[in-house]
């Protein structure tokens, strides 16, 4: 049995943040990671000139965001790429109507104004919604109040459904009415041309991380805990669990004694989503110039409706689209070729014969990954935003939880992972810690 001050389970951004802050404070820490790499749901693949973030890509709003300073301190390059949060406008977007005709600037402005106007009314519906009601019910209640003519209402309804799918990877009828309360973007958004994984690589520098250590059990007694893995046992005064909600719910990680009822009940209010990325690299560009994104309205866009032009990252014509919510569930068993052909078919509806075959594709599969079981957690009907923070309440003074789902203000993000890790370190040390220290060498 190896002894430490703190054992951290999971080498994603939250786990590495706790580990780094505690190590900087002089603690003996170890991070046990099931996979053969650090980073968790920040995972960059490099193939030739293609640097591709399979997991997180965006900082969704760089203003007033602790993550912005941290990536800057680590010297990570960023490229501005706003509209990554399903905004209706703000940057040039090529909108196509249900018949495949491109909307002119005036029509786009009217539509975006409708969405903004609708959002104001939607906020009132959500405030008035009953506990356990869904985002879809709030949308329908708002539409019923506004009495817009059918086409206008339908364009906004479908936009809101797609927002729920792209932002939370879930159909609006399965999301709590408050499930998108945190959906506020402060300032521009940025992506990382050299890969988001640089963050975890920097955080892990000098930390004792044990890869391919699958944790199966955490036993706790007064002031002490023992963590069992496939490669032996580790004992410590504190244990920080950062595994995703999907792993917590899977039963593959046992707690002895079992977790208290208030905690299991809060955990059961969340679910891992269905959200996958499809990257397509083309020999030539066939789509509209000078746009950040392309959007298809109407039935033709039920599955594939938004494509993000990533060409600016390395000069190779590249589109990114998402299988999100129902489409991710439906295509889960499909092979990559079938998914790509389905996406290309939708693009042909807009660009006809100009669409060429991609010479490189990448399709993710987070739903089948045993160490994430989805991309990030959403609020099931009946849960409340405050349940996120509840998950982080220490148990018996030895067991701590961190990770994206434990942060109320901006869950489902790397920012949430970082901030939750910082909070866990503060809880363990019983004092305030500066974020800026994270980038200091160990
Ligand atoms: C496709 C996709 C797109 C995303 N897009 C964005 C985005 O653009 N912007 C954004 O901010 N966020 C985005 N996110 C969310 C973001 O990636 C996560 O919120 C964040 O990385 C979570 O960090 P974490 O430390 O909480 O969890 P994780 O990164 O999941 O870390 C937990 C670690 O625990 C390990 N683990 C699991 N089980 C065990 C076990 N039994 N024993 C030991 N180790 C175990 C896992 O392998 C993992 O490394 C995206 C995520 C995905 C998947």
């Amino acid at each position: 049995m190896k002894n430490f001050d703190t054992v951290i389970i999971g080498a994603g951004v939250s786990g590495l943040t706790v580990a780094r802050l505690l190590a900087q404070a002089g603690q003996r820490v170890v991070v046990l990671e099931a996979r053969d790499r650090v980073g968790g749901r920040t995972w960059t693949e490099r193939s030739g000139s293609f640097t591709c973030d399979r997991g997180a890509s965006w900082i969704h709003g760089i203003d007033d965001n602790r993550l912005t300073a941290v990536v800057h301190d680590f010297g990570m390059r960023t490229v501005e790429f706003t509209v990554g949060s399903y905004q209706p406008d703000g940057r040039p977007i090529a909108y196509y109507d249900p018949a495949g005709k491109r909307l002119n600037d005036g029509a786009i402005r009217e539509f975006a104004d409708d969405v903004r106007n609708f959002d104001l009314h939607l906020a009132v519906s959500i405030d008035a919604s009953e506990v356990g009601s869904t985002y879809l019910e709030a949308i329908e209640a708002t539409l019923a109040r506004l009495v817009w003519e059918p086409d206008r209402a339908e364009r906004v309804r479908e936009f809101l459904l797609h927002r729920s799918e792209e932002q939370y990877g879930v159909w609006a009828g399965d999301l709590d009415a408050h499930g998108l309360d945190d959906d506020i973007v402060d300032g521009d958004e940025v992506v990382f041309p050299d890969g988001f994984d640089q963050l975890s690589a920097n955080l892990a520098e000098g930390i004792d991380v044990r890869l391919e250590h699958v944790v199966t059990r955490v036993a706790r007694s007064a002031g002490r805990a023992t963590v069992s893995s496939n490669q032996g046992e580790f004992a410590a005064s504190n244990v920080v669990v950062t595994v995703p909600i999907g792993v917590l719910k899977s039963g593959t990680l046992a707690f002895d004694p079992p977790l208290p009822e208030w905690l299991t009940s809060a955990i059961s209010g969340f679910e891992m989503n269905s959200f996958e990325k499809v990257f397509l690299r083309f020999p030539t560009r066939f789509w509209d110039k000078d746009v950040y994104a392309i959007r298809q309205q109407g039935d033709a866009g039920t599955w594939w409706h938004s494509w993000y032009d990533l060409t600016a990252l390395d000069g190779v014509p590249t589109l990114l689209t998402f299988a999100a919510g129902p489409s991710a569930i439906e295509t889960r068993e499909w092979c990559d070729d079938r998914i790509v052909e389905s996406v290309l078919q939708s693009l042909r509806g807009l660009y006809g014969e100009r669409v060429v075959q991609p010479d490189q594709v990448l399709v993710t599969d987070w739903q089948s990954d045993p160490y994430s079981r989805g991309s990030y957690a959403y609020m099931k009907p009946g849960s409340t935003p405050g349940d996120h923070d509840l998950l982080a309440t220490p148990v018996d003074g030895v067991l701590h939880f961190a990770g994206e789902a434990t942060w109320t203000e901006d869950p489902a993000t790397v920012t949430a992972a970082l901030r939750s890790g910082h909070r866990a370190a503060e809880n363990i040390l019983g004092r305030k810690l500066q974020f800026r220290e994270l980038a200091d060498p160990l």
Side-chain angles (χ1 to χ4, degrees):
M1 172 102 68
K2 299 132 198 153
N3 285 291
F4 294 87
D5 293 319
T6 302
V7 173
I8 295 123
I9 305 171
V13 169
S14 60
L16 292 171
T17 301
V18 192
R20 190 162 190 86
L21 289 168
L22 293 180
Q24 284 169 333
Q27 278 212 354
R28 234 186 124 225
V29 301
V30 66
V31 183
L32 305 179
E33 168 54 51
R35 293 181 172 117
D36 62 358
R37 60 171 181 82
V38 300
R41 284 171 277 167
T42 55
W43 180 18
T44 309
E45 180 152 320
R46 294 175 179 82
S47 143
S49 67
F50 187 26
T51 300
C52 170
D53 272 312
R54 285 176 164 272
S57 327
W58 271 273
I59 297 187
H60 293 301
I62 54 174
D63 292 355
D64 196 22
N65 187 335
R66 298 290 168 85
L67 179 60
T68 309
V70 173
V71 302
H72 179 261
D73 289 348
F74 282 133
M76 291 168 62
R77 277 198 312 140
T78 57
V79 168
E80 186 271 329
F81 201 117
T82 311
V83 300
S85 298
Y86 216 68
Q87 297 91 328
D89 62 355
R91 294 291 187 277
I93 298 176
Y95 274 95
Y96 286 84
D97 74 9
K101 186 165 162 280
R102 189 167 168 180
L103 262 56
N104 63 32
D105 289 351
I108 293 175
R109 226 177 359 259
E110 269 178 37
F111 169 69
D113 284 346
D114 271 357
V115 172
R116 268 186 289 274
N117 186 9
F118 185 87
D119 274 341
L120 296 175
H121 292 275
L122 179 65
V124 176
S125 304
I126 290 172
D127 273 352
S129 66
E130 287 182 15
V131 175
S133 59
T134 67
Y135 193 64
L136 182 63
E137 285 165 336
I139 294 171
E140 295 302 339
T142 311
L143 283 169
R145 270 209 321 279
L146 289 174
V147 209
W148 285 352
E149 61 82 22
D151 261 8
R152 185 181 177 198
E154 191 47 36
R155 294 293 76 78
V156 171
R157 175 188 283 113
E158 75 194 11
F159 184 87
L160 272 282
L161 296 182
H162 292 331
R163 177 196 279 168
S164 168
E165 290 156 11
E166 269 212 8
Q167 292 296 87
Y168 267 98
V170 60
W171 177 58
D174 289 335
L175 181 68
D176 188 85
H178 289 277
L180 280 158
D181 280 6
D182 62 286
D183 196 33
I184 295 156
V185 180
D186 290 322
D188 287 351
E189 294 172 273
V190 295
V191 293
F192 296 88
D194 305 319
F196 218 146
D197 70 344
Q198 287 193 320
L199 175 62
S200 8
N202 279 302
L203 288 170
E205 194 66 45
I207 301 289
D208 182 357
V209 181
R210 313 276 174 101
L211 299 177
E212 298 180 80
H213 280 57
V214 182
V215 174
T216 50
R217 184 168 176 269
V218 181
R220 62 185 193 280
S221 56
R224 203 88 196 130
T226 305
V227 175
S228 308
S229 80
N230 61 336
Q231 302 206 44
E233 296 200 330
F234 298 77
S237 315
N238 287 287
V239 171
V240 186
V241 179
T242 75
V243 303
I245 285 286
V247 175
L248 283 178
K249 293 182 79 160
S250 70
T252 54
L253 177 54
F255 292 91
D256 180 16
L259 297 177
E261 200 279 326
W262 57 263
L263 184 52
T264 51
S265 156
I267 291 170
S268 70
F270 296 98
E271 198 60 75
M272 288 305 275
N273 69 7
S274 305
F275 182 79
E276 307 295 349
K277 291 179 160 181
V278 182
F279 293 90
L280 305 163
R281 309 260 285 173
F282 295 97
T284 52
R285 168 204 206 96
F286 53 81
W287 56 92
D288 307 76
K289 279 210 180 95
D290 302 323
V291 293
Y292 279 58
I294 302 153
R295 290 228 173 100
Q296 166 78 71
Q297 297 180 319
D299 289 348
T302 302
W303 276 15
W304 316 112
H305 48 80
S306 299
W307 293 268
Y308 297 87
D309 184 349
L310 302 184
T311 309
L313 266 69
D314 66 359
V316 176
T318 304
L319 291 177
L320 163 65
T321 190
F322 302 106
S327 60
I329 294 167
E330 196 74 22
T331 57
R332 186 174 170 174
E333 305 299 331
W334 289 21
C335 66
D336 290 1
D337 284 353
R338 190 170 170 203
I339 292 175
V340 169
E341 184 45 39
S342 175
V343 174
L344 292 177
Q345 194 54 37
S346 295
L347 283 168
R348 282 186 205 111
L350 303 178
Y351 301 107
E353 292 308 306
R354 277 182 289 156
V355 176
V356 292
Q357 280 301 119
D359 36 34
Q360 202 171 4
V361 298
L362 193 149
V363 183
T364 64
D365 187 9
W366 291 97
Q367 296 167 95
S368 306
D369 185 323
Y371 303 121
S372 60
R373 295 169 184 262
S375 286
Y376 37 92
Y378 66 86
M379 287 169 55
K380 285 182 3 187
S383 59
T384 65
D387 287 345
H388 289 104
D389 280 340
L390 191 61
L391 298 181
T393 313
V395 178
D396 297 338
V398 292
L399 189 55
H400 305 258
F401 288 83
E404 53 91 4
T406 71
W407 190 258
T408 295
E409 196 183 300
D410 203 5
T413 63
V414 175
T415 302
L418 182 92
R419 297 204 63 179
S420 70
H422 174 262
R423 174 183 53 197
E426 286 192 335
N427 284 343
I428 288 169
L429 294 174
R431 64 180 168 85
K432 294 274 164 216
L433 295 168
Q434 294 301 313
F435 264 99
R436 298 309 283 258
E437 288 169 7
L438 265 178
D440 292 348
L442 277 169

